[in-house]
Amino acid sequence: MDSKELREKFICFFKERGHRIIPSSSLIPDDETVLLTTAGMQQFVLYLMGQKDVIEEFGTRHLASVQKCFRTPDIEEIGDDTHHTFFEMLGNWSIGEDKEKGYFKKGAIELAMDFFIKEIGLPKERIYVTVFKGEGSVPRDEEAISIWKEHGFPEERIGEFGMEDNFWGPTADTGPCGPCSEIHYDRGESYGCEETCGPNCEKCNRFVELWNLVFMEYNKNEDGSYKKLSQKNIDTGIGFERLVSLLQEEDSAYETDLFAPVIKKIEELSGKKYEENKKEFRVVADHVRGSIFLIADGVLPSNKGVGYVLRRVIRRAVRYKKELGMKSLRDIVNVFINEYGDIYPELKEEDVLQVVEEEEKKFIETLQAGVAELHKKMPKASNPKEIGKKLFLIYQSYGFPFELSMEELEKMMPGAYNNAEEIKKFFNDELCRHQEISRKGMKEKFGGLSRNAENEEIKLHTATHLLHQALREVLGDHVKQMGSDINKERLRFDFSHPESLSKEEIEKVEMIVNEKIKKDLPVEKKEMSFKEIQREKILAFFEDEYPERVTVYSIGDFSAEVCGGPHVKRTSELGRFVIKKEESSSAGVRRIKAILQP
Ligand code: SER
């Protein structure tokens, strides 16, 4: 069955059974507590919680959709058989079963069995299911077990698992969630590890999870407790790519009609074979597909939040494309737009191409700066220790991954690869050393100013935030605070940067800080959760040191930083900012001393 037919079949099946088909929502959710749409239920959260009336909005409790989704935790895994950044999710919902005409576990299981077995013809003897075994305050799902038994599943084909596998959600820190039943498919012994293996086996991929039926009747609260929702809901999801692979009898979606035209195009453009370069082909294909969908939903590459996700996937696609020896991503973009354009009309060729190509240009410029730096530094580096340390500086300044630097190095110093392991060890030592300095800096930062800090010190503290951001604007985003010390006379700020600042750079930094002071920007304090901090990419470099909730100080739109305070109310209180000294603090760390004049 081809993928288009499967989408159609799913939609028709649920339409015929009284469901209203809801178009996919954007990859960027309205809900500010999450970064991206990661599941079909995202657009229905308020209805699931009973905060919005589903009948008033949709005229029915029964909904179904094919939803665009994007997940980032697995980005490094892309290239294997099953992970994707962008994917589609087929789902159906019954919102408020206890109200008139809703359905709950029995109805959801019946629909799932009908679709899988009667509609698309999966052999029932290959199907295994799992249920929630009970954990913490949520009891064992006796009801689901007895419904599966009524459907003819013997006990040995009903697996019982805990919170980790059979309790789904919420997508944010709090929100709707519940125990779930998963439907797994047995691909046969040839995929297995041993006779006793079953669903959720960690050693092999004989069993694939196809459909997740969530019995959504809880809300997770801020204190971590689960409270019953005012209504019961069904929320289900099928990973579309996975089902397509199974129906087309392939091990991964890259070999199905979803990706076949693109894989063919990459072979054509690179002159290389997919079978011999699977990882590179798959990364390029996955990331280009993910990028075009993000761009179509209005995302632009940046260093914050979802813009940073886009930047990362485009840059990774460019790196792997380079490895395959391909010139441009243009034709790949076109193939995807042809394939998906009639299903998702928001995909517009010109917009997408422009964004991708501009970002590629920026990335190439950065790479070239990194290579030039490498050339400049290398002649003096003779042994693995020196090389490792230098590669770390390049990594820190340009985000040049170790492997890429090693490739360039090999070109300049043939044979360097022979020492790769040793070089990597010194690279890692340097990384640890810097993290340690960071940690110390953090302690200083939170311990930094005492509550009754003098007025002058408070002013210098706000000036430190302005300086930090100004340095990032002038020198680049690799600049990170490594330490800070303030007394009544001056501020001292240590930050990561590989070389001394030029006179022009110092002047520019001063100018920016003074400009922001003149603008009389408000300084505001906000409480945020660590998740929110990550989402907004607020300056915060010391992840393992943070408490659950932290305070963030923002200065107009210019700067936002995790900080214990205190600060002035408005920047005009600061006076004139003057940098007195710029010097080295330790390898890869610079130090600035600055004062404020009335
Ligand atoms: N929300 C559940 C999931 O993502 C079911 O769709 O698995």
Side-chain angles (χ1 to χ4, degrees), residues 33 78 156 183 223 314 323 365 377 420 436 442 451 572 598:
T33 61
I78 308 291
E156 59 276 17
I183 303 179
D223 63 4
I314 297 180
E323 281 184 30
E365 281 164 13
K377 290 195 187 308
E436 187 49 33
M442 191 59 194
R451 294 247 164 264
S572 62

Side-chain angles (χ1 to χ4, degrees), residues 1-11 88 90 115 119-120 240-250 253 255-261 339-340 342-343:
M1 188 181 314
D2 75 32
S3 55
K4 289 206 165 106
E5 192 184 339
L6 178 61
R7 258 194 220 99
E8 283 306 310
K9 265 203 160 57
F10 181 83
I11 289 171
E88 291 170 274
L90 312 176
F115 182 70
E119 190 70 22
I120 61 172
F240 181 58
E241 279 68 6
R242 227 180 251 185
L243 187 56
V244 172
S245 311
L246 187 76
L247 294 176
Q248 296 182 18
E249 296 179 15
E250 299 291 357
E255 283 120 45
T256 67
D257 67 346
L258 287 171
F259 282 96
E339 290 296 311
Y340 283 94
D342 40 337
I343 308 167

Side-chain angles (χ1 to χ4, degrees), residues 493-505:
F493 186 68
D494 291 353
F495 59 100
S496 50
H497 185 62
E499 55 193 12
S500 61
L501 273 63
S502 66
K503 196 165 153 271
E504 290 74 39
E505 284 169 337

Side-chain angles (χ1 to χ4, degrees), residues 69 170 441 550:
C69 297
V550 290

Side-chain angles (χ1 to χ4, degrees), residues 435-447 530 534 540-551 562:
Q435 281 168 344
E436 187 49 33
I437 302 178
S438 287
R439 264 191 285 279
K440 287 200 190 114
M442 191 59 194
K443 286 215 178 85
E444 273 176 29
K445 187 175 175 128
F446 272 121
F530 187 60
Q534 286 177 309
F541 298 107
F542 317 95
E543 301 185 7
D544 48 344
E545 294 273 318
Y546 283 135
E548 259 259 313
R549 290 188 77 75
V550 290
T551 48
V562 171

Side-chain angles (χ1 to χ4, degrees), residues 557-576:
D557 278 343
F558 179 64
S559 137
E561 213 174 312
V562 171
C563 175
H567 285 277
V568 300
K569 292 261 177 306
R570 302 195 72 95
T571 55
S572 62
E573 295 171 40
L574 300 185
R576 209 168 82 80

Side-chain angles (χ1 to χ4, degrees), residues 178-198:
C180 60
S181 246
E182 290 176 347
I183 303 179
H184 294 248
Y185 186 86
D186 178 5
R187 297 201 290 170
E189 274 173 24
S190 61
Y191 288 91
C193 49
E194 54 194 67
E195 265 173 46
T196 50
C197 134

Side-chain angles (χ1 to χ4, degrees), residues 339-355:
E339 290 296 311
Y340 283 94
D342 40 337
I343 308 167
Y344 298 104
E346 64 271 31
L347 298 175
K348 302 245 173 17
E349 194 173 314
E350 266 166 43
D351 300 355
V352 172
L353 275 175
Q354 198 189 347
V355 176

